[in-house]
Amino acid sequence: MRTAFGFLEHRLVEKLPAPPEETADLVAAAESAPPPLPLIACDGPGQEHMFRPHESWVTTCWPCCREERRARAVELLARAEADPAPPPPSWRERAAEGVGLGFAEEASGYGTRATAT
């Protein structure tokens, strides 16, 4: 073995285990796989067309599903722009109220000499 190729050849020819006898089992298992689902009519918008679902519960093809999702996103965006939520209070306002900090009650004496002893 003078080269990496020689080493690789030696490992593959001499050291590689024999091929398994179970290849017939693998072929039989592949042949016994369930058949693909039948073509069904898509429930999506547009012309009637057929597709093969990847799961039994799927009723729309991927392009129609994508278009439905885009339409839903546009609808939600338009609704959010029409009635925007009020902006959240700034951190200064929250700190002044003591809301959302969780330690506002204990913070009054924190760090003083009285609590250090």
Side-chain angles (χ1 to χ4, degrees):
M1 286 182 277
R2 296 183 187 195
T3 65
F5 294 111
F7 175 74
L8 182 61
E9 180 185 18
H10 172 73
R11 295 298 284 185
L12 291 176
V13 173
E14 301 294 327
K15 301 286 185 175
L16 193 67
E21 299 290 330
E22 302 169 355
T23 55
D25 295 339
L26 295 174
V27 171
E31 291 175 358
S32 67
L37 295 171
L39 289 173
I40 62 171
C42 179
D43 291 343
Q47 298 177 7
E48 183 174 341
H49 55 279
M50 307 290 280
F51 79 103
R52 188 175 312 277
H54 62 280
E55 293 288 337
S56 60
W57 52 267
V58 177
T59 60
T60 58
C61 65
W62 173 242
C64 291
C65 181
R66 184 175 53 230
E67 287 302 317
E68 288 175 355
R69 288 181 181 182
R70 284 183 180 161
R72 176 77 174 140
V74 167
E75 177 187 333
L76 290 174
L77 184 61
R79 189 182 307 165
E81 289 176 352
D83 186 25
S90 69
W91 67 271
R92 293 177 192 264
E93 294 170 355
R94 287 189 312 226
E97 296 173 359
V99 177
L101 300 177
F103 59 84
E105 293 80 23
E106 298 93 26
S108 61
Y110 183 73
T112 62
R113 286 188 180 266
T115 59
T117 56

